[in-house]
Amino acid sequence: MAITLDVNGAVATVTIDRPEKKNALDKPMRVELPRVFERIQDDVSIRAVVLTGGGTDFCAGADVREMGGGGIADGMARVEILHRIMRSVIHTDIPIVAAVRGVCVGAGWSMALACDYIVAAPDARFQFAFRHIGLAPDGGAVHLLSRNLGPIRAKALVYSGRFVSGEEAAALGLVSELAPAADVVNRAQALAADWADAATLSLRMSKRQFAAAETQSYEEALAAEMVMQPLMVRSDDFQEGTGAFKDRRKPVFRGQ
């Protein structure tokens, strides 16, 4: 299988590993990816995730050679499989960092945007190329790009179908930080390790707040805090964090 899952301590690394095809997603890979993220979601010992690609690229999107053919039902089934991938990434409620080198196209870029943090090489190449093959955007591309960039600039990228370098993506606010290509994965691993050592419940609840904020009013956000914060005060991590502060020592969080 061209999707690998490696767990080192509390950090899981998911690798899209089909480098000879720039990690383009064929059907077995599209089926396996959500299963991997569901396993991560169900494993309480995993506290942070790195998503990357094998070789020198992140992901060239869906395998174009498998597109088309069949009827409407077959087309709908293919899109639904893609949607399972996106939902599994975006609904994993622990922090995910994407480590992006080389090409990051179509569904690959959507997956990266669905993560919480993107470390990219300056010469990484991002693209939504749907216009070049006569398709409408999928994988939540328009939603994710508009959410992060605003509709005016998002339209410019989708309508042109042009490549965006890692350096330009960082300037646009679509990349969290840049690192040399040789250091991208190591930097992502270091970030994930730092998150895994943190108060996991705090980060999980923060992630849920960010997700809810897209559709909440300010008053609804405050109402959610009224439910969430009293529960957090009862967590072991809160007791450890406040105890360590009083004792002037480094906290040791267990994610509970």
Side-chain angles (χ1 to χ4, degrees):
M1 180 59 65
I3 305 296
T4 64
L5 172 63
D6 297 306
V7 179
N8 183 12
V11 176
T13 299
V14 179
T15 304
I16 306 165
D17 199 11
R18 194 188 179 202
E20 71 280 5
K21 298 295 183 182
K22 296 186 180 295
N23 301 318
L25 301 169
D26 61 15
K27 184 175 180 181
M29 295 165 71
R30 294 196 298 273
V31 170
E32 180 64 14
L33 256 174
R35 291 175 178 170
V36 168
F37 275 97
E38 286 161 9
R39 289 201 292 273
I40 289 170
Q41 176 68 15
D42 292 339
D43 188 340
V44 296
S45 70
I46 296 174
R47 298 165 66 178
V49 182
V50 174
L51 175 62
T52 191
T56 58
D57 296 291
F58 183 74
C59 176
D63 193 331
V64 177
R65 293 173 303 178
E66 294 185 351
M67 294 181 182
I72 293 175
D74 290 333
M76 291 177 67
R78 283 193 292 269
V79 175
E80 178 56 33
I81 291 170
L82 175 61
H83 287 176
R84 285 179 200 152
I85 295 174
M86 299 308 304
R87 289 189 180 105
S88 69
V89 174
I90 213 159
H91 293 318
T92 297
D93 66 353
I94 54 177
I96 306 173
V97 55
V100 179
R101 302 163 295 181
V103 298
C104 183
V105 174
W109 196 0
S110 291
M111 280 192 290
L113 289 171
C115 295
D116 301 286
Y117 200 95
I118 301 174
V119 180
D123 60 351
R125 303 176 73 206
F126 298 88
Q127 184 187 36
F128 283 126
F130 297 101
R131 60 159 278 181
H132 299 312
I133 56 174
L135 286 180
D138 59 20
V142 165
H143 174 87
L144 292 166
L145 198 60
S146 295
R147 183 181 74 183
N148 286 279
L149 194 59
I152 296 298
R153 289 186 293 180
K155 287 176 183 177
L157 296 185
V158 172
Y159 290 0
S160 69
R162 68 179 180 87
F163 278 105
V164 176
S165 70
E167 202 164 54
E168 183 183 359
L172 289 170
L174 296 173
V175 162
S176 309
E177 67 174 270
L178 296 173
D183 299 333
V184 163
V185 175
N186 287 339
R187 174 57 182 156
Q189 294 282 0
L191 281 165
D194 176 67
W195 297 340
D197 283 340
T200 310
L201 287 177
S202 173
L203 297 185
R204 281 184 135 166
M205 294 303 105
S206 299
K207 183 167 183 175
R208 291 187 183 187
Q209 287 179 329
F210 276 111
E214 295 176 29
T215 57
Q216 280 178 326
S217 68
Y218 182 66
E219 289 300 324
E220 288 170 334
L222 296 183
E225 290 177 9
M226 286 293 293
V227 175
M228 189 176 291
Q229 203 70 319
L231 292 174
M232 296 296 294
V233 170
R234 299 178 65 85
S235 70
D236 291 345
D237 279 353
F238 174 77
Q239 299 301 323
E240 171 62 13
T242 53
F245 178 82
K246 294 172 185 175
D247 297 341
R248 299 184 179 181
R249 60 177 175 81
K250 182 179 179 180
V252 180
F253 294 114
R254 297 188 300 156
Q256 300 178 2

